[in-house]
Amino acid sequence: MAIISFDQDAVVDYIPSYGANRDSEDPCTVSLRFIPYARVQYYSRIIAARTKGVIEAEKVQEITQSVQRRQFVESVSRVSGYFVGAKEVTDPNELYDTADTELIVELIRAMENAQRLTEGQRKN
């Protein structure tokens, strides 16, 4: 059986499983770009370069979170069906700032794993 992956420039409509969203009549959909291993390594090298010589754990954590945010924002193309109160959030930065940790982690794992991305892909 062949292994089929995603082109890193392709945008995939992903429906998170968080909060029984996939069972919803009108689910939240996040359009993601797949992050191949080489790109994950790229972000890791950025973290390593920025933390070189940094001793304070808080500063290392701040740098790591900054790079993770960049990865997230660069890889999310669109958001729909995600609301904060009555306001629909469509911006990746705002999603990152307001979403539950579990949802953000699920989205990052889907970006970095073609199989998970496929499992959550919108079925037409």
Side-chain angles (χ1 to χ4, degrees), residues 56-67:
E56 298 172 28
E58 288 178 7
K59 184 68 175 166
V60 170
Q61 183 178 10
E62 181 182 306
I63 292 166
T64 302
Q65 289 173 347
S66 170
V67 173

Side-chain angles (χ1 to χ4, degrees), residues 49-60:
R50 289 184 182 173
T51 58
K52 185 175 183 176
V54 177
I55 298 170
E56 298 172 28
E58 288 178 7
K59 184 68 175 166
V60 170

Side-chain angles (χ1 to χ4, degrees), residues 10-123:
V11 175
V12 178
D13 287 341
Y14 178 80
I15 301 173
S17 63
Y18 173 81
N21 180 60
R22 287 188 189 154
D23 299 329
S24 173
E25 199 171 294
D26 190 20
C28 170
T29 303
V30 182
S31 300
L32 305 172
R33 287 181 188 82
F34 174 64
I35 303 174
Y37 182 70
R39 192 72 178 162
V40 172
Q41 290 301 102
Y42 167 78
Y43 290 115
S44 295
R45 286 191 303 273
I46 291 173
I47 291 169
R50 289 184 182 173
T51 58
K52 185 175 183 176
V54 177
I55 298 170
E56 298 172 28
E58 288 178 7
K59 184 68 175 166
V60 170
Q61 183 178 10
E62 181 182 306
I63 292 166
T64 302
Q65 289 173 347
S66 170
V67 173
Q68 182 183 52
R69 177 192 188 92
R70 176 179 164 191
Q71 173 186 333
F72 184 88
V73 171
E74 288 177 355
S75 301
V76 173
S77 175
R78 286 183 308 277
V79 181
S80 65
Y82 176 76
F83 291 84
V84 175
K87 179 185 177 234
E88 183 171 19
V89 171
T90 58
D91 179 64
N93 283 295
E94 198 171 349
L95 172 64
Y96 192 87
D97 289 340
T98 60
D100 187 279
T101 302
E102 191 176 326
L103 175 57
I104 297 299
V105 169
E106 177 184 349
L107 293 171
I108 291 171
R109 287 185 176 151
M111 292 172 193
E112 296 178 349
N113 184 309
Q115 185 174 345
R116 281 190 187 173
L117 191 54
T118 298
E119 288 170 2
Q121 196 170 6
R122 179 181 286 282
K123 308 297 187 246

